[in-house]
Structure formats: structure tokens, C-alpha cells
Amino acid sequence: MKKLLAIIMSAAILLMAGCSSAHEPITTIPVNSETTVGDIAGTIEGDRYISHAGGVGFKLTGDYTVEWPDADKRNIVMSDYTGVDISGPWFVWGNTASLKIDYVLDEQLKADATKEHTLEEWNKSMKYPAKSIEYIEDYKIDGKSCFALKMVLDKNGYDVSSLQIYFFQDNGLLVLFTITAGSFKEIDKVVKNLQIA
């Protein structure tokens, strides 16, 4: 009986450990004229950032700070919103890594964002010049294919790794993830907590 109880308890602990590491499903809401900027920008629910309208989730770990650049626009409904994109949160983990999430609405901006940039074009628009850019046509998040740019930037003589991931949702939103860290190993730690509906 004690052996059976020990086996059952072990199985229960393993099951609980497996469940806690799995992604929770993202419940989505349709984007229409009554959707607000805040619905798309998302919120923090417990230990997770989620945008039900944007179809994005992110498991929050470690010691981070968060900024909400479009906080003053959160209550504007999409029928009254004239912007071309919506800034979601910007998470920063001290000096080790950051994640910025943006939602692009404008069709021309979407086309510009996903066309192949040359190193010269990139350097004209960025604060820090790119030393190298790798184009990835089939980058995977949650088993879904995205376009990505993997870059090494020159930040005042120091190499900084950066990954931009472009994902088109079925509702027409382009979700742009920008992750920056000291190494791609650190970036991978951030990416593994991303979820797309």
C-alpha cells in the first residue's frame, strides 16, 4: 500500500510539474471598430503578459521593469484611432535583455517592415549600426512560422545581439517583437516564453 501511495504521489508531482511548464491557451477576441487601443496593447495578468486582441502571450520571469508607451491612448476605440501602429509593453531585465512588442496596423508600414532591408538601409534608420544581419524566412514561435531578422549591433564598440520577429495574425495585425540582449543565448531564453494564438 505504501509503495502504491508513493507511486501515485510521484505521478501526481510529475503531472503538476508538466502542467506548470506548459503554455496556457490564449483566449482571443475579435478586432473591430469598438476594440480599444488598450485591448490590442494588452495587460499583465498574474505572471503573464497577454493581448487577447493581438493574440500574444508571454510568460514573465525574473526581475523586470515594464513601460507602456501608448498608455495615454488605451481608451481610444479603433474607429477613432488614427495611428499606424500601437506600442505594446517594453520589458527590460536590467542590463541583460529587453523585449518590445508592437502591433502594426498600416498596410504600407507592414510592407516596409517585411521587405528585405539592406545593411545600408538598416544603418540609416537605427541608433546603433548593424555589423551583420541574417534573414530567417521560417523562424518558429509556438510551431508557427514567422519572418525574422537576426542581427549583431555595434553599441559604442560592444556587440549586442538583436532579433526582430514579424508575425501576421489572421485579423490583419502585424505583431513585431524586438528582443535585444548580450547574446543570442539570452535572446533564446526570452523567445521560449513567447506564445502566439
Side-chain angles (χ1 to χ4, degrees):
M1 184 66 170
K2 286 183 180 178
K3 283 184 180 179
L4 181 59
L5 187 56
I7 291 170
I8 291 171
M9 291 297 289
S10 296
I13 289 170
L14 287 172
L15 182 60
M16 287 177 11
C19 290
S20 66
S21 65
H23 285 302
E24 296 174 42
I26 298 174
T27 55
T28 58
I29 60 171
V31 175
N32 56 39
S33 61
E34 297 306 308
T35 303
T36 66
V37 169
D39 292 332
I40 293 175
T43 60
I44 294 176
E45 298 175 7
D47 65 349
R48 188 167 104 152
Y49 160 76
I50 191 160
S51 169
H52 297 286
V56 173
F58 181 71
K59 174 83 170 162
L60 294 162
T61 60
D63 188 16
Y64 66 89
T65 59
V66 62
E67 291 181 21
W68 296 91
D70 279 345
D72 59 328
K73 302 173 185 171
R74 289 188 73 86
N75 293 324
I76 301 173
V77 294
M78 294 310 294
S79 58
D80 295 332
Y81 187 66
T82 57
V84 295
D85 62 353
I86 294 171
S87 294
W90 181 22
F91 298 101
V92 179
W93 290 268
N95 291 327
T96 59
S98 69
L99 165 65
K100 179 84 176 75
I101 303 172
D102 295 297
Y103 300 91
V104 179
L105 312 169
D106 182 80
E107 293 300 326
Q108 185 57 50
L109 198 58
K110 289 177 189 177
D112 289 346
T114 54
K115 73 178 180 184
E116 270 198 18
H117 290 85
T118 66
L119 194 56
E120 184 179 333
E121 288 171 333
W122 177 264
N123 287 337
K124 281 186 212 170
S125 64
M126 294 304 295
K127 182 177 178 181
Y128 301 112
K131 293 173 76 173
S132 68
I133 298 178
E134 177 186 351
Y135 302 96
I136 305 169
E137 295 289 334
D138 192 26
Y139 190 85
K140 299 282 190 201
I141 295 179
D142 250 8
K144 296 173 181 72
S145 292
C146 311
F147 172 74
L149 293 175
K150 191 175 183 180
M151 297 164 283
V152 176
L153 308 177
D154 180 356
K155 184 178 179 184
N156 304 322
Y158 295 96
D159 286 355
V160 175
S161 301
S162 183
L163 180 70
Q164 285 194 320
I165 304 166
Y166 303 80
F167 184 73
F168 283 95
Q169 291 286 23
D170 291 340
N171 60 15
L173 287 175
L174 165 60
V175 185
L176 173 60
F177 303 95
T178 304
I179 307 164
T180 306
S183 69
F184 288 109
K185 184 176 180 182
E186 291 299 316
I187 287 175
D188 290 342
K189 290 178 186 177
V190 175
V191 171
K192 73 177 175 121
N193 289 318
L194 283 174
Q195 184 181 11
I196 301 173

